[in-house]
Amino acid sequence: MTVFWERALWVIGAVLLFWGIGAYNRVMLLRNEIGKAFTQLDDALTRRAALGERLLGHLRERLPSEQASIDALAAAQTEALAAAQAVRAKPHAADPIAQLAITSAVHGAALTRLISLVEHHSELVSDAELYAVVDELKLVDRQRAFARQVFNQAVQTYNEAVRQFPTRVLVSFFGFSESRSL
């Protein structure tokens, strides 16, 4: 009878070991998917910032009365790029993502305000290059919104895996924690 229990313990140990390896690999794969999804989002954020700089270059001399809005966009861009830089190192970490969500919202609001000013100033209507930048900004913003959805879906899938029992017990040993969506 002792041989039976010894073999049963070996089988249970092997099953637990293989389950643990599989669960760890699954959580790592899902966490890496967050990084891949953030890469797409980061590309859109970088393009939006570059186009914002071009927009600022066009408007600084043409709209001196709107200097406060122009400065607000420049400051928001700087903060958003710094927050994105912090997320690049660990796209699954909750705190940098929270900061990026805040700065991205502020940046988006400042950009929307400046685009609205451009569309309402009659002296800027004839500038085809300026409107090309605005149109490209709108396209990049739609791409950013899609990339954000992909990122949030990756985060949701990862968080669901981390919350599941018994994987929840395993991931606590390896320091995995829930991520945050944008």
Side-chain angles (χ1 to χ4, degrees), residues 130-175:
L130 178 62
Y131 272 95
V133 171
V134 169
D135 287 342
E136 195 172 348
L137 267 167
K138 290 177 182 178
L139 174 67
V140 167
D141 201 44
R142 287 190 297 274
Q143 291 170 345
R144 184 196 56 81
F146 178 75
R148 183 179 172 186
Q149 283 180 320
V150 170
F151 176 81
N152 287 343
Q153 182 62 44
V155 167
Q156 181 181 0
T157 304
Y158 168 79
N159 285 343
E160 288 171 358
V162 168
R163 286 185 209 124
Q164 289 176 348
F165 182 82
T167 306
R168 180 177 13 173
V169 176
L170 177 73
V171 297
S172 65
F173 289 122
F174 290 106

Side-chain angles (χ1 to χ4, degrees), residues 48-153:
R48 181 172 79 163
L51 289 168
E53 283 298 323
R54 285 180 51 199
L55 181 66
L56 288 172
H58 281 285
L59 297 180
R60 283 198 194 279
E61 56 206 40
R62 294 186 177 173
L63 293 177
S65 62
E66 300 296 341
Q67 196 61 39
S69 296
I70 292 170
D71 291 342
L73 177 59
Q77 274 191 187
T78 302
E79 290 177 14
L81 288 173
Q85 179 66 33
V87 173
R88 282 184 199 114
K90 285 189 171 184
H92 52 82
D95 291 340
I97 291 293
Q99 185 62 32
L100 179 61
I102 293 168
T103 59
S104 186
V106 170
H107 181 250
L111 191 59
T112 300
R113 174 161 170 64
L114 211 53
I115 288 172
S116 176
L117 288 172
V118 166
E119 291 172 347
H120 288 95
H121 277 275
S122 58
E123 67 269 15
L124 300 175
V125 171
S126 62
D127 191 344
E129 186 178 341
L130 178 62
Y131 272 95
V133 171
V134 169
D135 287 342
E136 195 172 348
L137 267 167
K138 290 177 182 178
L139 174 67
V140 167
D141 201 44
R142 287 190 297 274
Q143 291 170 345
R144 184 196 56 81
F146 178 75
R148 183 179 172 186
Q149 283 180 320
V150 170
F151 176 81
N152 287 343
Q153 182 62 44

Side-chain angles (χ1 to χ4, degrees), residues 1-75:
M1 193 72 165
T2 56
V3 172
F4 170 77
W5 289 111
E6 186 177 305
R7 287 183 182 167
L9 286 175
W10 277 105
V11 167
I12 291 171
V15 167
L16 286 175
L17 176 68
F18 287 122
W19 166 81
I21 291 170
Y24 178 85
N25 287 339
R26 179 172 182 257
V27 171
M28 282 300 294
L29 175 74
L30 293 173
R31 191 168 84 171
N32 290 341
E33 289 299 316
I34 292 173
K36 289 177 188 175
F38 180 74
T39 301
Q40 292 176 352
L41 180 61
D42 190 35
D43 289 344
L45 291 171
T46 303
R47 283 187 60 215
R48 181 172 79 163
L51 289 168
E53 283 298 323
R54 285 180 51 199
L55 181 66
L56 288 172
H58 281 285
L59 297 180
R60 283 198 194 279
E61 56 206 40
R62 294 186 177 173
L63 293 177
S65 62
E66 300 296 341
Q67 196 61 39
S69 296
I70 292 170
D71 291 342
L73 177 59

